[in-house]
């Protein structure tokens, strides 16, 4: 992903959340709102437009599959906790009723 100015910002890509939900190790560019979904514990974030950093992060997944699996497990836990439709609907209902959501 790339952020081409405020008008072209992607937010959190669905493909990223889907990969996390399937337990796939993720390497993503730090653009848009990606950092809201991925941190150092759950994946690898690299600077946009830095192919060397992207290659290094991908190589790290290959060279250290145990660490990549551990990050993928934490990513799965985070995405299922934060983006589960039941949790989102409960939070939305609470907002509609005028109560603060507790995710």
């Amino acid at each position: 992903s790339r952020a081409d100015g405020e008008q072209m910002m992607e937010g959190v890509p669905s493909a990223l959340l889907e990969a996390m939900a399937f337990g796939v190790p993720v390497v993503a560019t730090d653009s848009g709102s990606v950092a809201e979904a991925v941190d150092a514990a759950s994946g690898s974030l690299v600077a946009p437009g830095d192919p060397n950093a992207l290659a290094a992060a991908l190589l790290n997944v290959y060279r250290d599959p145990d660490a990549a699996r551990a990050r993928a497990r934490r990513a799965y836990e985070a995405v299922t906790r934060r983006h589960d439709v039941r949790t989102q609907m409960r939070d939305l209902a609470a907002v509609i009723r005028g109560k603060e959501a507790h995710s």
Side-chain angles (χ1 to χ4, degrees), residues 4 11 28 30 35 39 50-51 61 68-69 85 103:
D4 288 331
D30 189 5
D39 60 17
D50 188 343
V61 170
R69 276 191 289 276
V85 69
S103 314

Side-chain angles (χ1 to χ4, degrees), residues 2-95:
R2 289 180 37 189
D4 288 331
E6 196 171 307
Q7 297 287 331
M8 299 295 291
M9 197 176 307
E10 182 170 14
V12 180
S14 295
L16 175 65
L17 296 177
E18 290 167 0
M20 293 168 71
F22 277 99
V24 175
V26 295
V27 174
T29 55
D30 189 5
S31 62
S33 298
V34 170
E36 292 177 21
V38 179
D39 60 17
S42 62
S44 298
L45 280 178
V46 299
D50 188 343
N52 292 326
L54 180 60
L58 291 168
L59 187 58
N60 183 278
V61 170
Y62 174 76
R63 287 188 173 159
D64 195 350
D66 291 335
R69 276 191 289 276
R71 286 190 302 275
R73 191 170 34 258
R74 288 189 292 272
Y76 168 81
E77 292 165 359
V79 80
T80 56
R81 182 178 61 250
R82 286 185 241 156
H83 297 281
D84 178 78
V85 69
R86 291 171 297 254
T87 302
Q88 290 181 343
M89 292 301 104
R90 225 179 357 256
D91 289 350
L92 177 60
V95 169

